[in-house]
Every structure is written in structure tokens, then in C-alpha cells.
Amino acid sequence: MTIEDPAIMPEAFFTVDGDSYLPSPLTRGPWGAAMGGQNVGGLLAWGIEQSGVEPAFQPARFTVDLLRPALPEPVQIRTSVQREGRRIKLVDGALVQNGNTVARASALFLRRGEHPDGAVWSAPLAMPPLPVTSDGFPADMPFLIWGYGATAAGSPGIAAGEWEQSHSQKFAWARIFRPMVHGYPLTPFVRLAFAGDITSSLTHWGTGGLRYINADYTVTASRLPDGEYLGLAAQSHYGTAGVATGAATLFDRHGPIGTSSALALAQPAEAFRPTHT
């Protein structure tokens, strides 16, 4: 992959330091000082992509297990190929910090080929229109979530107003403004991995706020997303005894491309501290 001129690129979520990656303040998540799950998953996707995958292979499934808090300290990436065949490749990745695995990922790649004829049923679903503009936001904003739920126009930010004021289906368009690793451009696969973590907030946010922290998330995709925006349309939330599962449909500007899901555990309401609005 060609490395862009670091001097002209915006601040990244991580910088390279030997065999380690240094998190910037942009990686801080909403549950305290630990990194946000989207940054953990994004870095793992970046590492897996850097390990070498033929362009003919579609990243069809990406799962992240968030095993323990990833602190704002140097991390290392370890990747290994678990299966490699003519039509399938399975790559595992681990994020290691202070000798402990804080997160792991599994990426399944499938070889693209001739598409079969015929029609297959799928539930009709449409996203709200893309935000008209993302101009005028703070220069240090790492990413944008434009949420919908209470209003047709939606609103920018963590979308608490949109998602708390109405007990209705929720939507979000997300755009990343920063490279994942300094000196390397964002790729569609990393955008997909980053946005997948939003599934938990989208599907588990209720009238009492966000009361769940996700333990994992999975995205599946029939093709790579096109464009800077990724959309998520909530499909379900089921919760019992402090354990919840949520699912969403993934979109790009052309239409649906796949699905996402997130498992989560209940948290005290006061534990959620959004760092970007």
C-alpha cells in the first residue's frame, strides 16, 4: 500500500513507533479513559489488511471481541492466517498491551466471482438521506455520527436527543475524518470495521439513555462500501437480565451492503461519558 505524505495528512488515531502503535487522545471512548471500540476494531482491521490479502477477495465478515479495556498506552498487533484456500481466507488478529491480549478479531475473506441469476427475497429498507454538509464542525473532530429517530432531518453528534426523545427505529450516517494510522490513507475495509462498533449505541440506546457497553461486534458485507459515509439502520434489540443483542443493516450511498450486530452488558447510567458531541 502506498504511504501518503505524513506532513500533509491530518492527525491520526494512531502513530507507528517501531513495532508498537501509539494512541492519540482521539481514541478515547465514552466509557472512561479506555479506547473506544471503534478505534480498537479499526486498528485490528488495518493490521489484518496490512498482513496481505489479494484484491480479488471480499472482506465478508469481521468480528471483534473486546476482552478488556484498551488503555491509552502503546499496543501491538499480532496477525495469523488460520485458513487459506482458493476461495476462502481466514485471518485472526490480536491487540496486545503490556503482554495481555485486550481485543481480538477474526476476518473472513471470500473470493469474488460470477453472480448467480434470479431474485432472492430481502426486506425492503431505506435510509434517511445523507447529511447535507459536515462543514462547520470542530477541527479536532475525529468522526461524525448523524443520528435520526425523533426527526426526519436528524442531528449531528452522539444523537442522544434523536435517540432518547422517540421510541422509534433509529438510523445513523457515520463519517471518519481521520486516518486510522498516521501516514496511511483510510480504506473501505477500515471504514467498515470502524462503523461496525456504532451498532451497539444505535440498537441499545433507549429512552433512559445508553445503558449497555458492548462486548463484541460483527459486520458482514457483500461488497466494500463506496464513499466516505456509512449508514446503519437499527433492526432489533432484545434484552434480558442485563444482557442485550442488537442488529442493524449497513448501507453506503448506493444502498444496503450487509449487516452488523453487537452483544452488550448493562452498565450504570452515570458510567457513559461521551467525549465528542
Side-chain angles (χ1 to χ4, degrees):
M1 179 182 297
T2 301
I3 301 178
E4 294 188 357
D5 183 358
I8 62 174
M9 294 188 72
E11 182 183 2
F13 293 99
F14 297 89
T15 56
V16 180
D17 182 21
D19 66 348
S20 296
Y21 299 87
L22 308 181
S24 76
L26 300 173
T27 63
R28 182 173 178 174
W31 299 100
M35 298 183 211
Q38 71 276 7
N39 301 302
V40 170
L43 184 62
L44 281 166
W46 180 87
I48 288 173
E49 196 169 42
Q50 291 292 311
S51 70
V53 181
E54 292 181 43
F57 279 80
Q58 160 68 28
R61 192 259 298 151
F62 182 70
T63 297
V64 178
D65 291 312
L66 303 167
L67 303 176
R68 47 175 59 91
L71 302 175
E73 300 174 6
V75 293
Q76 296 81 45
I77 304 172
R78 306 284 184 262
T79 62
S80 59
V81 177
Q82 300 300 311
R83 170 77 168 90
E84 187 163 20
R86 188 175 65 87
R87 302 183 65 191
I88 185 172
K89 184 170 184 176
L90 179 64
V91 184
D92 284 355
L95 208 62
V96 179
Q97 190 170 69
N98 299 318
N100 297 313
T101 299
V102 296
R104 65 185 183 185
S106 174
L108 182 66
F109 297 84
L110 302 177
R111 184 178 291 277
R112 301 179 186 91
E114 183 178 354
H115 201 71
D117 296 330
V120 180
W121 180 88
S122 184
L125 183 63
M127 281 288 294
L130 283 165
V132 175
T133 179
S134 58
D135 297 333
F137 293 101
D140 62 349
M141 176 177 281
F143 63 93
L144 169 70
I145 298 177
W146 198 288
Y148 305 79
T151 67
S155 59
I158 297 297
E162 289 288 333
W163 295 348
E164 285 183 10
Q165 294 175 14
S166 174
H167 188 245
S168 60
Q169 186 178 16
K170 303 175 185 68
F171 303 85
W173 282 110
R175 179 186 174 190
I176 315 172
F177 295 106
R178 310 283 176 152
M180 184 57 54
V181 176
H182 188 65
Y184 293 82
L186 275 171
T187 65
F189 179 41
V190 172
R191 290 182 185 276
L192 185 68
F194 186 99
D197 182 68
I198 300 170
T199 306
S200 184
S201 298
L202 182 80
T203 60
H204 300 318
W205 202 311
T207 54
L210 184 56
R211 295 292 309 278
Y212 298 90
I213 182 172
N214 57 319
D216 82 342
Y217 69 90
T218 295
V219 296
T220 66
S222 61
R223 60 176 173 81
L224 286 169
D226 178 36
E228 295 184 325
Y229 279 98
L230 269 165
L232 299 94
Q235 293 298 290
S236 65
H237 164 88
Y238 305 109
T240 304
V243 176
T245 177
T249 300
L250 297 172
F251 285 75
D252 67 2
R253 58 182 177 171
H254 303 296
I257 64 171
T259 61
S260 59
S261 63
L263 291 168
L265 290 165
Q267 287 282 93
E270 63 272 13
F272 182 68
R273 293 290 184 270
T275 54
H276 300 285
T277 57

